[in-house]
């Protein structure tokens, strides 16, 4: 099975009825689109580094004998999984798949809210993890800001049924 064949199967699962809808290529090649995609790439890379940093820090303090709550370990794993998923959505959006953009936009609007609500639960996370969650949310809001800008909304216009 070729890799593109595998990705198209994943697209059908993740994209649902809109899995095969492509946006016009001229929108993808526009300089504003390329600039927005470059910024989104760097912001997602930063999210990934932040997530790995949280895992490393948790390991370091655990080895130093400090207790690391189960919620912290779960949070670090979930953030890495979410970020990997966002990279997949983003990659598919850069290929012109409408569903990739739509999913990325949706998740960058939902994740910050969930993350900030979780950070606000008293005693759930240590201060360093709360700080990481706030930074994560701010960066995710930045990604969402690019995605909801006029230009990308025009490039990824809702397809007519």
């Amino acid at each position: 099975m070729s890799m593109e064949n595998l990705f198209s199967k994943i697209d059908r699962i993740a994209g649902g009825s809109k899995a095969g809808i492509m946006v016009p290529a001229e929108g993808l090649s526009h300089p504003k689109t390329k600039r927005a995609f470059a910024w989104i790439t760097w912001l997602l890379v930063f999210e990934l580094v932040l997530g790995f940093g949280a895992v490393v820090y948790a390991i370091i303090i655990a080895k130093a004998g400090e207790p690391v709550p189960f919620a912290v370990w779960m949070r670090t794993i979930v953030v890495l999984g979410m970020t990997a998923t966002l990279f997949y959505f983003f990659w598919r959006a850069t290929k012109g798949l409408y569903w990739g953009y739509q999913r990325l936009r949706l998740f960058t609007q939902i994740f910050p809210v969930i993350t900030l609500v979780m950070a606000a639960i008293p005693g759930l996370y240590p201060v360093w993890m709360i700080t990481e969650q706030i930074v994560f949310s701010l960066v995710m809001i930045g990604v969402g800001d690019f995605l909801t800008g006029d230009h990308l909304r025009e490039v990824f216009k809702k397809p007519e049924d």
Side-chain angles (χ1 to χ4, degrees):
M1 173 186 285
S2 74
M3 291 304 285
E4 192 53 42
N5 192 12
L6 172 66
F7 293 137
S8 67
K9 289 179 192 259
I10 293 170
D11 291 347
R12 279 194 296 276
I13 294 167
S17 64
K18 294 184 172 52
I21 298 173
M22 301 288 289
V23 300
E26 59 271 5
L28 295 174
S29 61
H30 192 281
K32 283 186 178 180
T33 306
K34 291 181 179 273
R35 193 169 33 256
F37 283 171
W39 273 101
I40 292 169
T41 300
W42 285 110
L43 290 171
L44 289 176
V45 166
F46 180 80
E47 292 282 25
L48 193 62
V49 170
L50 187 65
F52 276 119
V55 171
V56 169
Y57 188 73
I59 291 169
I60 289 169
I61 63 172
K63 286 190 179 238
E66 280 202 43
V68 178
F70 179 73
V72 169
W73 292 115
M74 286 306 299
R75 163 76 178 125
T76 57
I77 292 167
V78 168
V79 166
L80 289 176
M82 284 179 1
T83 305
T85 303
L86 294 177
F87 267 108
Y88 185 75
F89 295 162
F90 177 61
W91 175 56
R92 299 317 272 173
T94 64
K95 298 292 183 194
L97 290 160
Y98 173 78
W99 78 264
Y101 166 80
Q102 198 63 25
R103 295 299 185 278
L104 183 62
R105 186 174 155 190
L106 173 69
F107 284 97
T108 58
Q109 292 171 338
I110 292 172
F111 287 161
V113 173
I114 294 168
T115 301
L116 292 173
V117 167
M118 296 289 289
I121 298 173
L124 183 60
Y125 298 117
V127 173
W128 68 267
M129 177 60 68
I130 293 169
T131 304
E132 184 268 348
Q133 286 190 276
I134 292 168
V135 172
F136 175 88
S137 295
L138 291 173
V139 173
M140 195 59 56
I141 289 168
V143 173
D145 189 45
F146 279 105
L147 295 168
T148 58
D150 292 341
H151 177 74
L152 284 185
R153 279 197 344 252
E154 182 63 30
V155 170
F156 288 93
K157 223 182 310 192
K158 185 175 182 177
E160 307 203 3
D161 295 322

